Amino acid sequence: MRAIELLVNGQAVSAEVEPRTHLADFLREHLLLTGTHIGCEHGICGACTVEIDGEIARSCITYAATCDGARIRTIEGFDDDRLMGRLRQAFTEEHALQCGYCTPGMLIAARDLIRRKGGLDRSQIRAEMSGNLCRCTGYVGIVRAVETVMAERAGFDLPASSANAGWLGPAPGPQASEPAIAAASAARIAVPEVGAQAATMEAAPIVSPRFRRGVRRRPIKVDVSVPEETGGETRLTQSFVLEHPRETVWRIMSNPREVAACMPGMVLDGPVDDGQVTGRMEISLGPIKASFAGKGSISRFDGEYRQVITGSGGDRKSGSNASGRVAYELHPVVGAAGDEATRVHVAMSYALTGPLAQFGRSALVRDLVSRIGESFAQNLDARLSAPEGTPMAPAALGAASLIWRSLITRARRAVARFVGGRP
């Protein structure tokens, strides 16, 4: 297994993958970004096309391990892109999709073409788009849609082409530009041994310092109590050990901005003013997206190494409201190596009202809260382990992977109960 860190659609992702895992499989199965389609699995049909560090590539023949430190954008990551929005509109107007299987990759490739070139006629557009195959439409509507948006090219603030020093996608074709061929030819990456064999892949690890946080997330065991429903609230406790002295941990955990940076989905909108703060909790669970904006109060007890945060807010789109309380305290313990360490004890409660309340009472969400606690502990540990002054990317709520891990955990529990109950 190899640990990787990516920025996928603007969200930080840390995972361990086998060296043979293709990026398409990682995106679909680990992150549940199923807009990336898999067709030929040979890099020919283009259904799996994504952006890697600003350049399109075939994710079905790109290893996930080679993308460590890279920025990945899938079709789900273009919702706020004006050019992509216009292309989607044109595809609808020109009937450029039928079964829709090729459409995500076709849209990404078309956007890349318009970003790079303008003034092409229909035959030239067909040639440029020939790397993406469609079995339904006959391409007529697709070409017309691309032609329409290309004619409006001057009205878009198009980004400049990336100046990557390496190459993460498949080998460029025979008519590719010389810089692209040179970059791909010079790029190599060694993959960790699998058993007694080691492999070498023709690709370059684009390690972007802006998105690498400098320290690997390491697994931290989080003990979680059984959630209890009391007075309309869900209550649970979590406990974990950080291999750092209590004073060091307290300097981070007593700072609301540091805590928010480590808590997945949490964003503070301004400074703490007399114990009061405004912010929001952004959650995306499959088709359900919510942003609970509100206010909170912070009570800090330095002598007891304890802090209590209470808050409430609402999501305008769904009309749902949430309230919660998080209290944590630090206790000195002896670490695994015999050094000073800190046990963090967290007691939390939360309540949901409105349309999302029924969803909030599900056992899946309680599992997600537990997984968020694990991510919080790992982010804290990484922040404490990083050299002073190291920039840390905000912790995004990778809900897709959290859901996937929760489902796996629940499946394992069910199997364990079944096996344990057999005579």
Side-chain angles (χ1 to χ4, degrees):
M1 301 294 285
R2 178 174 178 180
I4 61 172
E5 294 182 3
L6 312 171
L7 202 68
V8 181
N9 296 335
Q11 294 189 348
V13 174
S14 300
E16 290 190 351
V17 298
E18 294 183 357
R20 65 181 180 178
T21 301
H22 292 115
L23 179 61
D25 294 326
F26 175 76
L27 293 171
R28 290 178 56 83
E29 298 177 12
H30 187 86
L31 302 184
L32 300 186
L33 294 172
T34 53
T36 300
H37 293 169
I38 298 178
C40 66
E41 297 189 76
H42 286 76
I44 296 173
C45 74
C48 68
T49 303
V50 299
E51 265 195 8
I52 304 177
D53 282 335
E55 302 290 349
I56 61 171
R58 302 288 205 251
S59 60
C60 79
I61 55 173
T62 301
Y63 289 107
T66 69
C67 298
D68 186 23
R71 291 169 294 129
I72 311 296
R73 185 148 66 154
T74 69
I75 191 63
E76 293 91 343
F78 287 93
D79 286 350
D80 299 325
D81 186 273
R82 285 186 60 240
L83 178 55
M84 181 62 81
R86 180 65 185 100
L87 269 170
R88 286 170 169 165
Q89 181 184 8
F91 266 55
T92 301
E93 294 170 347
E94 300 292 347
H95 306 287
L97 66 161
Q98 191 164 323
C99 80
Y101 200 83
C102 74
T103 305
M106 195 74 74
L107 283 168
I108 293 176
R111 178 188 175 277
D112 178 74
L113 172 60
I114 296 172
R115 185 192 70 171
R116 293 183 293 105
K117 296 183 179 182
L120 304 184
D121 59 29
R122 292 188 180 183
S123 63
Q124 290 172 318
I125 292 174
R126 279 183 174 271
E128 293 285 346
M129 294 293 295
S130 62
N132 288 69
L133 306 183
C134 175
R135 300 181 66 180
C136 300
T137 67
Y139 303 99
V140 175
I142 294 173
V143 173
R144 282 202 304 256
V146 175
E147 182 183 38
T148 299
V149 180
M150 185 174 286
E152 305 168 3
R153 186 174 184 270
F156 295 95
D157 183 17
L158 299 179
S161 298
S162 300
N164 291 334
W167 189 271
L168 283 174
Q175 297 183 12
S177 63
E178 291 185 6
I181 295 174
S185 300
R188 295 182 68 85
I189 179 173
V191 179
E193 289 192 3
V194 182
Q197 296 181 343
T200 303
M201 293 179 291
E202 298 293 325
I206 305 300
V207 181
S208 176
R210 292 183 298 166
F211 300 110
R212 291 294 300 274
R213 290 171 294 244
V215 178
R216 294 290 186 190
R217 265 57 174 170
R218 53 186 175 185
I220 296 179
K221 184 178 184 298
V222 178
D223 298 318
V224 183
S225 69
V226 177
E228 298 179 354
E229 299 287 345
T230 306
E233 287 187 335
T234 300
R235 299 180 180 179
L236 56 86
T237 61
Q238 298 179 338
S239 179
F240 54 89
V241 173
L242 298 173
E243 298 291 334
H244 306 275
R246 182 166 65 163
E247 290 290 345
T248 303
V249 177
W250 180 244
R251 281 199 297 270
I252 298 296
M253 296 198 68
S254 62
N255 185 329
R257 286 206 167 277
E258 295 279 10
V259 172
C262 295
M263 177 63 72
M266 181 176 287
V267 179
L268 296 187
D269 293 331
V272 179
D273 184 12
D274 194 25
Q276 303 297 309
V277 66
T278 59
R280 61 190 185 276
M281 189 73 176
E282 298 178 345
I283 300 173
S284 177
L285 303 174
I288 298 176
K289 295 183 179 181
S291 179
F292 290 93
K295 298 181 179 180
S297 61
I298 301 171
S299 301
R300 174 173 165 176
F301 307 92
D302 291 294
E304 303 174 24
Y305 297 90
R306 183 167 65 92
Q307 188 156 276
V308 180
I309 303 174
T310 59
S312 61
D315 174 52
R316 291 184 179 180
K317 289 184 178 180
S318 67
S320 299
N321 293 291
S323 61
R325 180 180 185 272
V326 177
Y328 52 83
E329 55 186 70
L330 313 183
H331 302 279
V333 295
V334 178
D339 300 325
E340 290 183 77
T342 303
R343 177 167 289 279
V344 180
H345 181 79
V346 183
M348 66 177 68
S349 60
Y350 64 92
L352 277 173
T353 59
L356 294 182
Q358 185 62 41
F359 181 74
R361 284 192 285 270
S362 70
L364 176 60
V365 170
R366 291 198 293 267
D367 285 344
L368 287 174
V369 171
S370 301
R371 297 300 180 185
I372 290 172
E374 291 181 4
S375 297
F376 177 60
Q378 293 177 3
N379 293 336
L380 272 174
D381 179 66
R383 175 66 183 85
L384 291 162
S385 301
E388 192 68 27
T390 300
M392 302 289 286
L397 183 60
S401 59
L402 291 175
I403 291 175
W404 182 244
R405 287 188 295 165
S406 295
L407 290 173
I408 291 175
T409 299
R410 292 169 67 80
R412 287 175 177 170
R413 290 175 185 167
V415 171
R417 288 195 297 269
F418 174 76
V419 174
R422 289 191 304 178

